[in-house]
Amino acid sequence: MKKLKVILYFPPESTDKPFTYHLVKDFDIVFNILQAEVQPGKRGRLTMELQGSEKNIEEALEFAKSHGIGYRPFNKNIVRNQGECMDCGACTAVCPSGALYMDKKSWELIFDESKCLLCELCIKACPVKAIDVNMFV
Amino acid sequence: MGKTFDEINEKIRQGNAVVVTAEEIIGIVEEKGVKEAARQVDVVTTATFGPMCSSGAFINFGHSDPPIRMNKIWLNDVSAYGGLAAVDSYIGATELSESKGMEYGGAHVIEDLVNGKKVRLVAKSHGTDCYPRLDIDTDITLKDLNQAYLFNPRNVYQNYNAATNTSKDIIYTYMGTLLPGCGNVTYSTSGELSPLLNDPEFRTIGIGTRIFLGGTQGYIAWEGTQFILDKERVDPEGTMYAGATLAVIGDLKKMSSRYLRAASFERYGTTMFVGVGIPIPVLDEEVMAFLSVQNRDIYTNVVDYSVPRRSKPSLRKVNYEELRSGSIELNGKTVQTAPLSSLNRAREIAALLKGSIEKGEFFLQEPIQAMPKDRGFNPLKDRAVK
């Protein structure tokens, strides 16, 4: 099993196709939509995490390409500056996935990157700007 | 059989005072009982490290040549008060930068000073015969200043509301970002470690009490603004305290940004995280009984911050053990809870204070005046419309 976060780019003519249906039905992909901007007749963008066998993920992305849907693996992650962080917990108030949470013994902030949905709400919620987005190519 | 401040200070001087933190005392009292714990333990340290908006610093810049009577003052583009004598000023934590807005404020100026950074001072004057200069634009650092002392009119809230938002829209508050439809609950306290929850009736804390403030030794200068002593019983054994507060003072030149941090809450503005530790002398069993307080017995209201009124409705009462569990029940739904004050850093302060008392570097100061018992909570009335 493999997990991959990707951004999919839909040309205007593709936004009315049931793409996610095919992901499940034809390629047995479990997906989680992180961010979606899809409107009929307009260019669309869908950020999602795909989970499935390596072969199925590859084939699903090939399928997307053959239908004019471009894709890019995720090129950023959330980073926490440990030295700046005060372990206050303000970021945990807005984290929708429980990726940021307080250790109930030490009351240190824990960041479980595997659960991060890259919503970026924590960046602004941090009172000392100790959380940032790291871009990579 | 009680102890006096002098007797405890003598033990500290001899290096044999028994000091524990307000979290450690809970287990000791459970094991040995209040009476025996009161006999064995001399001092209990309490602490908090959270956002405290009513903070700021008095500064004396020294005189330029020719001298100026500063009327309008900016520090790194943040307005400071110019209504004192010629080169005295007060910079408040929540004053925002005129160029950077909510990203930078008075709190950040104070932190930059504490970190030894250069701060740009711009001042203007109407000019007088005795102070002829009309403007100045220069750089200052903390060590150049004659005096720089933190004076926070309202810190160390005894108890504070937990916050939620019943509206359909996200709201941005000093209690952090509150998600719509009661999407979260935030709270700000160190609970059973919190200073004024451990001496709720001010048996030992008063004006003149020596405290840990921002990394050095400071003092309680006065009652805090909006100080009120009140409590409500909550069944079965809980208590909900109102909002006693403290005005505190200490030398900024000796402080550290580990315990005094500038902060910015999205779409609210800037504030300051202030680290305060207060030692509580175990004078008698009653003092010890208060010190044994636990999170499960301390209550607060979950208040709806989407109501734009002075009195906001409370959805329920909740104790700090429930809040710290990570979620509470609210209108039949499980809602995640999040702290805003750092318990981790508060524990560090309580341990530091404990260490300095054990080493004979920190002595207890008996209050020179008790806190008032009769303060009310007066509202601000609008002028009557004719």
Side-chain angles (χ1 to χ4, degrees):
Chain A
M1 287 294 257
K2 190 184 169 183
K3 272 188 186 177
L4 182 72
K5 286 176 185 169
V6 289
I7 311 178
L8 297 153
Y9 300 93
F10 292 79
E13 62 275 16
S14 293
T15 49
D16 58 347
K17 287 180 191 155
F19 175 67
T20 50
Y21 168 81
H22 291 290
L23 280 184
V24 180
K25 188 82 180 151
D26 303 345
F27 304 102
D28 197 22
I29 300 281
V30 178
F31 65 85
N32 185 16
I33 296 175
L34 306 176
Q35 214 172 24
E37 292 166 49
V38 182
Q39 281 177 298
K42 285 189 177 165
R43 198 178 293 278
R45 201 172 70 159
L46 187 62
T47 306
M48 62 203 311
E49 186 176 70
L50 308 176
Q51 194 181 335
S53 74
E54 192 157 353
K55 182 170 164 280
N56 281 348
I57 289 178
E58 257 174 45
E59 285 179 8
L61 292 173
E62 268 311 305
F63 168 82
K65 216 164 144 187
S66 69
H67 284 77
I69 300 164
Y71 67 89
R72 204 151 54 94
F74 236 92
N75 64 345
K76 60 181 179 180
N77 63 352
I78 295 292
V79 282
R80 166 191 175 211
N81 182 335
Q82 210 110 8
E84 290 292 309
C85 176
M86 311 181 288
D87 299 293
C88 71
C91 59
T92 67
V94 296
C95 183
S97 66
L100 288 158
Y101 62 95
M102 305 308 289
D103 180 278
K104 289 291 183 306
K105 275 219 157 78
S106 69
W107 288 86
E108 285 172 297
L109 177 72
I110 311 286
F111 176 44
D112 178 353
E113 200 182 337
S114 70
K115 289 189 186 161
C116 177
L117 301 181
L118 290 149
C119 69
E120 300 185 20
L121 283 174
C122 54
I123 293 173
K124 286 185 169 175
C126 175
V128 292
K129 304 217 178 342
I131 303 176
D132 210 347
V133 192
N134 202 3
M135 305 293 291
F136 45 86
V137 192
Chain B
M1 245 262 316
K3 294 175 226 173
T4 67
F5 276 80
D6 286 344
E7 284 165 0
I8 294 172
N9 275 335
E10 187 49 38
K11 280 189 169 182
I12 295 172
R13 201 166 283 115
Q14 290 170 4
N16 51 29
V18 178
V19 190
V20 301
T21 72
E23 289 185 325
E24 291 165 344
I25 197 64
I26 293 168
I28 295 172
V29 170
E30 273 180 351
E31 191 192 324
K32 300 183 173 169
V34 168
K35 196 171 177 180
E36 187 56 21
R39 205 182 60 78
Q40 289 184 8
V41 177
D42 300 307
V43 184
V44 174
T45 61
T46 64
T48 183
F49 184 73
M52 306 188 194
C53 289
S54 207
S55 298
F58 280 104
I59 288 173
N60 177 281
F61 298 111
H63 288 282
S64 60
D65 185 25
I68 177 171
R69 208 227 76 82
M70 301 178 181
N71 293 124
K72 298 281 178 200
I73 304 170
W74 295 267
L75 292 167
N76 283 352
D77 238 4
V78 178
S79 174
Y81 189 60
L84 296 167
V87 293
D88 282 341
S89 185
Y90 183 82
I91 174 103
T94 65
E95 185 76 41
L96 299 180
S97 158
E98 291 181 6
S99 50
K100 291 184 186 162
M102 289 190 185
E103 293 218 336
Y104 190 95
H108 297 83
V109 172
I110 292 168
E111 188 185 328
D112 281 349
L113 285 169
V114 165
N115 285 333
K117 289 189 186 161
K118 246 194 267 179
V119 168
R120 184 178 177 197
L121 163 66
V122 173
K124 293 188 189 311
S125 172
H126 53 251
T128 70
D129 290 341
C130 42
Y131 293 108
R133 191 160 176 170
L134 298 180
D135 49 59
I136 188 164
D137 184 346
T138 185
D139 293 321
I140 57 162
T141 62
L142 188 60
K143 70 172 169 35
D144 300 330
L145 300 170
N146 288 313
Q147 280 77 28
Y149 49 92
L150 204 68
F151 185 93
N152 303 344
R154 178 160 23 107
N155 276 186
V156 203
Y157 251 105
Q158 184 173 35
N159 199 8
Y160 212 85
N161 299 325
T164 195
N165 167 19
T166 62
S167 80
K168 293 197 300 289
D169 303 308
I170 191 166
I171 59 171
Y172 302 89
T173 73
Y174 61 81
M175 291 299 285
T177 304
L178 300 173
L179 304 173
C182 294
N184 58 3
V185 170
T186 60
Y187 62 97
S188 185
T189 184
S190 54
E192 62 199 18
L193 185 62
S194 185
L196 303 188
L197 287 170
N198 277 284
D199 184 13
E201 303 196 349
F202 291 84
R203 285 281 327 275
T204 73
I205 297 172
I207 295 166
T209 298
R210 185 178 294 116
I211 61 173
F212 172 104
L213 178 63
T216 186
Q217 296 184 13
Y219 294 90
I220 295 174
W222 205 248
E223 67 193 72
T225 52
Q226 296 176 24
F227 179 98
I228 187 161
L229 269 187
D230 201 10
K231 67 179 175 188
E232 186 187 319
R233 302 303 308 181
V234 183
D235 286 336
E237 284 180 65
T239 309
M240 189 161 71
Y241 290 99
T245 65
L246 301 176
V248 297
I249 188 166
D251 190 353
L252 196 66
K253 294 194 177 204
K254 293 181 182 156
M255 291 186 189
S256 146
S257 62
R258 184 158 182 86
Y259 307 109
L260 189 70
R261 278 294 290 281
S264 170
F265 281 109
E266 188 182 10
R267 296 200 217 176
Y268 166 72
T270 61
T271 185
M272 192 128 226
F273 275 67
V274 183
V276 179
I278 303 185
I280 296 179
V282 184
L283 300 179
D284 53 36
E285 288 168 28
E286 190 198 48
V287 170
M288 181 53 88
F290 281 126
L291 285 165
S292 65
V293 72
Q294 300 189 34
N295 286 329
R296 63 171 183 243
D297 299 325
I298 315 166
Y299 281 77
T300 192
N301 282 310
V302 180
V303 166
D304 183 3
Y305 272 64
S306 69
V307 176
R309 298 298 302 269
R310 180 174 60 217
S311 293
K312 301 182 193 307
S314 168
L315 301 184
R316 60 165 286 194
K317 288 183 174 64
V318 64
N319 68 46
Y320 286 126
E321 187 176 78
E322 295 172 274
L323 283 169
R324 283 209 191 149
S325 74
S327 64
I328 61 165
E329 293 292 315
L330 212 52
N331 297 336
K333 188 177 125 182
T334 303
V335 179
Q336 62 167 343
T337 58
L340 296 176
S341 86
S342 174
L343 179 58
N344 182 278
R345 195 66 53 94
R347 282 178 176 165
E348 184 177 310
I349 293 167
L352 258 178
L353 183 55
K354 173 181 162 176
S356 17
I357 296 168
E358 284 170 339
K359 280 182 272 179
E361 295 165 357
F362 191 111
F363 290 89
L364 307 182
Q365 174 60 51
E366 188 167 0
I368 51 177
Q369 188 175 306
M371 288 297 177
K373 302 271 192 273
D374 59 348
R375 293 292 187 261
F377 201 66
N378 299 330
L380 176 63
K381 297 186 190 85
D382 277 282
R383 187 174 293 138
V385 182
K386 280 177 193 168

